[in-house]
Amino acid sequence: MKQNAKIMSEGRFALILLTPTLLLILGLLLYPLIYSIYLSFVDLNITNPDIGTQFVGFNNFADNLNDPAFWNSLKITFYFSGVTVIGSLLVGLGAALLLNGKIRARGLFRTLILIPWAIPLVIVGMIWKLILHPNYGSLNALLIKLGIIQHNIAWLSDTKWSLVMLFLSEIWRSFPFVALLYLAALITIPQDLYEAASVDGATKSKAFRHITLPYLQATTLVLLILRTIDAFRSFDLIFALTKGGPANSTEAVGLYLYKQGFTFANFGGSAAGSYIVTFVILILVFVYIRLMKVQNIS
């Protein structure tokens, strides 16, 4: 009995010690979540305070769904997400395979590859803005020197090129994270499997297809989910590079919702739109999981 009482007292003491941290976490996570849900169903009327806050029900959701600009931003976000997620996974897998091989200074390269991922997004945007500058940017200078183009191109002012440049900058920023997770998964693959496959006469491509890829499937699913969420909430890089221009050709849904809230003071519409996007992401995650399960069965 004394021992049980001692265990209970230690448990209560631990709970007392954890209480401030738990309250802090609840305050930082739960309160903003509840308040954002509240915002999505009301109109704050900040620009007309005499009216006061009004409950509008699902009107904020309907306004977003009836706004062509919202659907255009969602379409751009799908393009941005699809290209950058697939691109970062392919580039990251290639980098991981290279760094998992027998190369000189492998440890140094494994460290250096993390630099793009460690740089803050706003700084990444500033770096790429300098690279893509139409007059003194290094990309134009390099392409002219190689004879690929004859004159400077305003990459971020051209509706044909601005989104492509966003794709490249986002892939450059995000592929180190993908490479890091893929590299961790590659290290866990037993080398005996490759040796047995080599003895059986399997080529490197067959070993990659039948050994490496199945072992990377769980990691790929995690990366698909994390990178899709990351791409859908992209704001910093787009804001730093193009601010949604030219002619809203790069206005992703995150930038659209930001303008709704902080430019037009439509905080209810911005909150409602964010929950619509959250619902879209949940559907995509469900599709990813289903597809990966189908692949496992086959």
Side-chain angles (χ1 to χ4, degrees), residues 119-129 173 235-241:
I119 299 175
L121 279 171
V122 175
I123 305 301
V124 172
M126 294 173 63
I127 292 172
W128 276 87
K129 202 164 188 175
R173 178 201 72 85
F235 169 80
D236 312 61
L237 183 61
I238 299 174
F239 186 81
L241 272 179

Side-chain angles (χ1 to χ4, degrees), residues 81 85 88-89 170 173 177-178 181 219-233 281 285 288:
S81 176
V85 169
S88 62
L89 260 63
E170 173 64 16
R173 178 201 72 85
F177 173 71
V178 177
L181 291 192
T219 304
T220 300
L221 176 59
V222 172
L223 285 170
L224 276 173
I225 295 173
L226 293 179
R227 287 291 302 120
T228 299
I229 294 173
D230 194 31
F232 262 80
R233 63 184 183 87
I281 294 174
V285 170
Y288 290 155

Side-chain angles (χ1 to χ4, degrees), residues 35-95:
Y35 188 66
S36 65
I37 295 174
Y38 163 76
L39 280 180
S40 64
F41 291 100
V42 300
D43 186 358
L44 294 181
N45 291 310
I46 291 181
T47 57
N48 196 354
D50 294 335
I51 299 177
T53 302
Q54 293 180 318
F55 179 77
V56 295
F58 290 95
N59 287 352
N60 289 326
F61 294 89
D63 290 343
N64 279 296
L65 295 176
N66 292 324
D67 187 357
F70 173 78
W71 288 106
N72 181 64
S73 68
L74 197 60
K75 181 182 70 173
I76 292 171
T77 303
F78 269 104
Y79 288 153
F80 181 80
S81 176
V83 174
T84 58
V85 169
I86 295 174
S88 62
L89 260 63
L90 292 176
V91 176
L93 177 58

Side-chain angles (χ1 to χ4, degrees), residues 5-23:
K6 182 179 180 181
I7 294 175
M8 290 181 62
S9 62
E10 289 178 353
R12 289 176 181 175
F13 181 67
L15 182 61
I16 292 173
L17 293 178
L18 289 174
T19 297
T21 303
L22 293 175
L23 291 175

Side-chain angles (χ1 to χ4, degrees), residues 13 16 54 68 97 110 129 132 156 179 185 187 199 260 288 298:
F13 181 67
I16 292 173
Q54 293 180 318
L97 291 171
R110 287 180 177 180
K129 202 164 188 175
L132 301 173
L156 299 178
I187 294 174
V199 171
Q260 288 296 311
Y288 290 155
S298 61

Side-chain angles (χ1 to χ4, degrees), residues 188-207:
T188 64
I189 300 177
Q191 294 301 311
D192 296 343
L193 297 177
Y194 293 106
E195 294 174 2
S198 178
V199 171
D200 291 338
T203 61
K204 289 185 177 180
S205 61
K206 287 184 178 180

Side-chain angles (χ1 to χ4, degrees), residues 85-140:
V85 169
I86 295 174
S88 62
L89 260 63
L90 292 176
V91 176
L93 177 58
L97 291 171
L98 182 63
L99 293 176
N100 193 47
K102 296 179 180 179
I103 59 174
R104 292 183 178 179
R106 184 170 60 179
L108 177 62
F109 285 118
R110 287 180 177 180
T111 303
L112 293 178
I113 198 176
L114 295 176
I115 292 178
W117 183 48
I119 299 175
L121 279 171
V122 175
I123 305 301
V124 172
M126 294 173 63
I127 292 172
W128 276 87
K129 202 164 188 175
L130 290 174
I131 293 173
L132 301 173
H133 195 279
N135 296 325
Y136 52 81
S138 56
L139 180 60
N140 276 326

